[in-house]
Amino acid sequence: CSYLGKISGRRLNEFHANRMKRDTLTCNSSYPYRSFDGSCNNLNNPTFGQTGAMFRRILDPVYGGDGKGSTPRLTATSGNELPKPRSISVLIHDEGNFFNDAFTQMVMQWGQFLDHDITDTPTASNTSVCCYDSLVTSDEVHSDVTTGGTCFPIIIDEGDRYFNTVSTRCMVFYRSDPMTDSSGVRQQYNAATPWIDGSQIYGTSDTMAASLRSGSDGKLLVNTVGDEDFLPEDSNSDDSVCFVRETGEYCFLAGDHRVNVFAGLSAFHTIFVRYHNRICDRLLALHSDWDDDTTFQEARRIVVAVLQVITYKEFIRHILGSTTANTYDLFVGDTDYAYNSSVDPTLSNVFSTAAYRFGHSMLSDSITLDGTVTLTSELYMRPKYTLNNMKAVLEGLQDEKLFRTDRWYTESLTDRMFETPEVSQSGFDVAARNIQRGRDHGLPPYNAWREHYGLAKKANFSEMDQGSGRYTRLYETVDDIDLYSGGVSEDLVSGGRVGELYSIILGEQFKDLKFGDRFWFENTGDISSFSTQQVNQLRRASLARVLCDTVAGIESVPRSPFKAVDDESNPVEACSDISDINIKRRTTDSEMLKQLAHLVIEIFDRSIEREGFEYDDLSFSLRTMDSNPGSLTFRRPIEAVYIAKKMADAPGSKSITHVMRISCFLKQKTGSLK
Ligand code: HEM
């Protein structure tokens, strides 16, 4: 399936080629929009946050063999083989339905949607056969496993509770596409941009983004079925992308290749494409002269801001608990938000490969669609649910309770994930995959991470929060426990959905994603910044409002769809009562003027300080964004500010933001752009 590495060979080649270009990257500091591949966000370090970046290591990898990574982590402290990931999954991550009463499956769904915005670890493109009949008799090790090849199959014990009649007792698993660091050690990379920038909606390259646009009015491509807009069709699809079995069913195309894997996920993609197009309509009603590109980029920056608001205002607090979220400043409404250009946003390997996968434990075993209990396993890779009744899918997510993050998993995840509809036992086990992936990446074991973060190491199995008796049966010592398994088996932090170890790893990463992002919606004083009024409007955004705006037939929603309905604290509200953001720009606006003045003076000062220019060497150009852009040159910043205000206030002129949008750059006397 596309999740399992169907990033095509072409895309892998693209990443390798892009990586070569990284050294020669140049940025246009006066361009006010994000790039698609994440580059040029940080003007001092333009490759920070670019696709294809090597995941950051917090602890060095622990591989087998010569330690360079050809051989994954395979052995215990004693030198014996580690327990098999499938056995760990069956014994420790067995079926259990512990609800988290106060929350809904919407939390799980936002978690996955967000995951696809920020991380995507491509697997090596495969040519060899990973599972073959004799595998189980030839020492249960594929020859690739010690030679750095792509195959690292997951072995299934005889008499497995589910996979018991298949002849090859093995699940296909390809190692992550490797890159080598400067010490010659195998590393992995992120094919997504780490920024919360809607890359799952808009794509991660110019080419991909262009293929998703309609080409007019700034809108994204849609496929209209009846009178509703859905995602466009992926014309290059087969059973590896999604299961098309009914008339009218087709695989969706989006900015992220995993869009089809779950009905709820496809529904979220659909509502955000609709939301983008709706914002375009609203912007064009205010600015009828905007061209396709301006409208697209302006709508995109609003949608991205809304994604950031929902994530930091509504989602993360429920994951980390308010205390931890506050410790890391993970909230919106930060009046003194300060972008920090020395923060590297690169995701850590441990975040993507273990900690943020905690969400798999929250998935329920079924979702009720219009009164029919539907097994989660039915909802994988079947676009028909979104196409036929997206409202039911979204209401189902909202009504279904969230499973507690713990060592228990539903068998929809551990036995039947992505099972081909007609072929029993053809699916796989995602808990086993997460453990195997950790070994593929050489993640050090659970206790090593606790020690690194200053948490007490578990002295023996009985100190494990959950499943101590079961860990004893599988592992030789508590120091061998795989991180993924140990991390999800911790009791939850107060008010949160993860244990203490994962809460630190997640907290640190989400902090970097907020404070290292020049385009963070609350950042001020940058060419890309929203005005204070606009930021205040954007802070009012909510998932509830997005649902009201995009789902036909929805007239009321719980105030927070993430939480179970409660008449007192989370009542169902009519859409007409849920506040909307006002995206209107103001024509005269003293805040804007202050920002402009601040920006201009800052640019002057920075140039003088850093480049050693004299005041007389510089001039300031002001450009408008009209269809006939004009440019005025000033010698003193204050004159520029004065004229900008005049231009903004003149009858029939554009607003002051409009004026400053592409306006500020410095010219040396020689005329070269700075
Ligand atoms: C229906 C729901 C979901 C399905 C079907 C699903 C499935 C998968 C699969 C098959 C993988 C790849 C495993 C591997 O081979 O390494 C994966 C990776 C991952 N999942 Fe999920 N997942 C779901 C929900 C979630 C949720 C709720 C979260 C977090 C809150 C999450 C976080 C992740 C992360 C961080 C990765 C690694 C992504 C990467 O870097 O490639 N998933 N998931």
Side-chain angles (χ1 to χ4, degrees):
C1 128
S2 70
Y3 228 132
L4 311 181
K6 216 198 153 225
I7 286 200
S8 62
R10 189 178 54 74
R11 265 196 81 201
L12 286 181
N13 290 340
E14 228 174 72
F15 284 122
H16 296 303
N18 275 344
R19 223 177 277 135
M20 315 281 286
K21 282 193 239 146
R22 293 162 80 90
D23 291 344
T24 55
L25 195 65
T26 47
C27 302
N28 175 358
S29 58
S30 59
Y31 186 66
Y33 305 114
R34 291 173 184 273
S35 63
F36 290 103
D37 73 355
S39 60
C40 293
N41 184 312
N42 187 313
L43 295 171
N44 300 332
N45 295 287
T47 58
F48 275 11
Q50 190 180 14
T51 54
M54 191 189 287
F55 285 116
R56 203 153 40 91
R57 288 286 182 176
I58 291 170
L59 284 181
D60 286 342
V62 179
Y63 290 118
D66 63 1
K68 298 275 188 188
S70 293
T71 308
R73 174 175 176 259
L74 295 177
T75 50
T77 328
S78 65
N80 294 333
E81 228 179 87
L82 284 166
K84 295 186 185 74
R86 170 66 182 169
S87 313
I88 301 169
S89 168
V90 168
L91 194 66
I92 296 172
H93 305 296
D94 53 328
E95 178 90 26
N97 302 340
F98 297 100
F99 297 117
N100 194 308
D101 284 3
F103 290 85
T104 71
Q105 282 297 316
M106 281 286 187
V107 175
M108 181 289 298
Q109 202 51 78
W110 189 265
Q112 188 189 27
F113 189 56
L114 173 65
D115 144 29
H116 295 181
D117 187 343
I118 60 180
T119 177
D120 179 11
T121 314
T123 47
S125 59
N126 166 61
T127 44
S128 50
V129 178
C130 275
C131 286
Y132 44 84
D133 288 358
S134 62
L135 189 63
V136 282
T137 53
S138 58
D139 274 340
E140 300 186 347
V141 174
H142 190 290
S143 57
D144 271 10
V145 171
T146 50
T147 56
T150 57
C151 288
F152 182 24
I154 296 176
I155 303 300
I156 303 168
D157 272 337
E158 212 164 342
D160 184 274
R161 67 161 183 235
Y162 186 66
F163 300 96
N164 45 26
T165 59
V166 275
S167 57
T168 53
R169 294 202 316 277
C170 162
M171 275 180 240
V172 174
F173 182 96
Y174 300 123
R175 291 190 72 182
S176 300
D177 193 39
M179 67 195 294
T180 308
D181 68 16
S182 52
S183 314
V185 175
R186 184 178 178 118
Q187 299 288 351
Q188 297 74 31
Y189 63 92
N190 191 355
T193 69
W195 313 114
I196 297 175
D197 62 356
S199 59
Q200 79 279 44
I201 304 167
Y202 300 105
T204 48
S205 69
D206 294 355
T207 329
M208 212 191 291
S211 73
L212 295 165
R213 288 173 60 176
S214 74
S216 74
D217 293 347
K219 292 190 175 174
L220 289 165
L221 269 179
V222 289
N223 185 27
T224 308
V225 181
D227 53 6
E228 283 199 80
D229 288 343
F230 291 96
L231 296 168
E233 179 170 0
D234 181 351
S235 54
N236 188 13
S237 58
D238 52 26
D239 265 10
S240 68
V241 175
C242 86
F243 303 126
V244 170
R245 296 292 185 272
E246 292 179 15
T247 316
E249 200 172 10
Y250 65 88
C251 300
F252 298 126
L253 181 73
D256 183 82
H257 62 107
R258 297 160 288 189
V259 50
N260 292 287
V261 299
F262 191 62
L265 180 71
S266 311
F268 266 45
H269 273 274
T270 310
I271 61 177
F272 273 93
V273 165
R274 291 181 185 179
Y275 191 64
H276 172 97
N277 287 351
R278 192 171 180 277
I279 299 279
C280 290
D281 285 334
R282 291 176 67 188
L283 287 173
L284 283 171
L286 295 167
H287 306 278
S288 53
D289 56 331
W290 278 6
D291 61 10
D292 175 55
D293 209 48
T294 307
T295 316
F296 169 78
Q297 294 291 11
E298 289 293 329
R300 175 176 171 235
R301 68 199 277 265
I302 292 173
V303 171
V304 171
V306 170
L307 294 175
Q308 294 186 335
V309 172
I310 296 174
T311 301
Y312 282 75
K313 188 172 82 172
E314 301 190 71
F315 174 74
I316 290 181
R317 311 190 71 70
H318 301 326
I319 301 305
L320 300 184
S322 299
T323 314
T324 315
N326 289 342
T327 307
Y328 292 101
D329 282 341
L330 306 179
F331 53 86
V332 303
D334 220 346
T335 43
D336 55 357
Y337 171 84
Y339 162 63
N340 182 348
S341 64
S342 63
V343 170
D344 179 355
T346 308
L347 294 194
S348 62
N349 206 315
V350 66
F351 173 92
S352 290
T353 313
Y356 195 59
R357 297 187 186 211
F358 79 94
H360 294 154
S361 178
M362 302 192 295
L363 183 64
S364 56
D365 55 352
S366 67
I367 291 182
T368 303
L369 305 180
D370 264 349
T372 307
V373 177
T374 312
L375 285 179
T376 306
S377 52
E378 305 280 313
L379 298 168
Y380 298 135
M381 298 175 68
R382 289 309 301 269
K384 69 167 185 176
Y385 290 101
T386 308
L387 286 163
N388 295 349
N389 199 347
M390 191 173 80
K391 178 167 172 275
V393 172
L394 291 163
E395 286 176 344
L397 290 169
Q398 200 175 273
D399 292 343
E400 207 71 47
K401 286 178 182 164
L402 189 67
F403 274 22
R404 191 181 69 192
T405 306
D406 51 27
R407 72 173 179 84
W408 290 275
Y409 280 64
T410 152
E411 284 169 10
S412 289
L413 277 162
T414 50
D415 289 350
R416 300 190 55 201
M417 184 170 272
F418 307 159
E419 186 174 81
T420 308
E422 303 80 11
V423 191
S424 159
Q425 300 178 45
S426 59
F428 64 78
D429 173 345
V430 82
R433 289 189 78 86
N434 291 339
I435 295 165
Q436 186 87 335
R437 188 67 65 200
R439 294 181 185 179
D440 165 12
H441 292 201
L443 285 187
Y446 171 62
N447 247 346
W449 288 98
R450 286 192 59 89
E451 189 173 29
H452 171 76
Y453 283 110
L455 303 171
K457 277 176 76 176
K458 304 284 176 183
N460 50 53
F461 291 114
S462 65
E463 289 193 358
M464 292 300 288
D465 293 352
Q466 298 159 13
S468 54
R470 297 183 178 219
Y471 279 110
T472 321
R473 283 160 62 190
L474 279 174
Y475 286 93
E476 292 175 352
T477 136
V478 72
D479 285 336
D480 290 333
I481 293 175
D482 290 89
L483 169 64
Y484 180 73
S485 178
V488 289
S489 305
E490 285 189 352
D491 289 346
L492 306 179
V493 293
S494 164
R497 256 84 255 136
V498 287
E500 57 181 350
L501 176 58
Y502 281 180
S503 77
I504 300 172
I505 299 170
L506 300 183
E508 289 192 343
Q509 187 69 64
F510 281 113
K511 182 169 183 159
D512 288 350
L513 297 187
K514 175 177 173 183
F515 291 97
D517 184 2
R518 179 166 63 92
F519 295 97
W520 176 259
F521 82 101
E522 286 166 313
N523 190 18
T524 51
D526 188 76
I527 186 82
S528 63
S529 297
F530 289 104
S531 72
T532 307
Q533 283 85 350
Q534 286 172 319
V535 169
N536 285 338
Q537 285 298 321
L538 288 165
R539 285 185 183 134
R540 293 150 52 107
S542 64
L543 180 59
R545 186 68 242 175
V546 173
L547 290 170
C548 284
D549 284 346
T550 55
V551 187
I554 283 202
E555 277 157 19
S556 60
V557 282
R559 185 179 295 159
S560 168
F562 291 125
K563 293 195 202 155
V565 172
D566 177 290
D567 285 346
E568 298 262 301
S569 62
N570 194 36
V572 174
E573 291 183 336
C575 284
S576 52
D577 291 340
I578 297 177
S579 62
D580 196 359
I581 50 171
N582 179 358
I583 57 172
K584 195 163 183 251
R585 290 170 179 242
R586 288 158 198 256
T587 42
T588 50
D589 186 331
S590 63
E591 270 303 324
M592 296 276 173
L593 192 62
K594 258 194 248 158
Q595 269 193 31
L596 181 62
H598 181 74
L599 184 71
V600 172
I601 289 160
E602 199 180 285
I603 292 175
F604 264 76
D605 287 350
R606 218 190 292 155
S607 311
I608 287 160
E609 200 178 293
R610 290 213 193 128
E611 317 280 346
F613 291 156
E614 299 291 323
Y615 246 75
D616 283 352
D617 294 337
L618 302 165
S619 62
F620 181 76
S621 260
L622 194 66
R623 284 199 184 170
T624 64
M625 277 176 71
D626 296 322
S627 37
N628 299 314
S631 167
L632 292 168
T633 305
F634 306 93
R635 302 303 301 271
R636 286 170 1 112
I638 198 68
E639 289 168 8
V641 174
Y642 175 76
I643 297 296
K645 180 171 164 36
K646 279 266 180 242
M647 284 163 76
D649 288 345
S653 96
K654 304 293 164 268
S655 71
I656 200 147
T657 17
H658 198 170
V659 172
M660 70 182 265
R661 200 77 304 247
I662 54 158
S663 63
C664 307
F665 60 90
L666 288 165
K667 262 188 168 179
Q668 252 184 297
K669 262 187 177 166
T670 54
S672 67
L673 279 180
K674 290 304 290 180

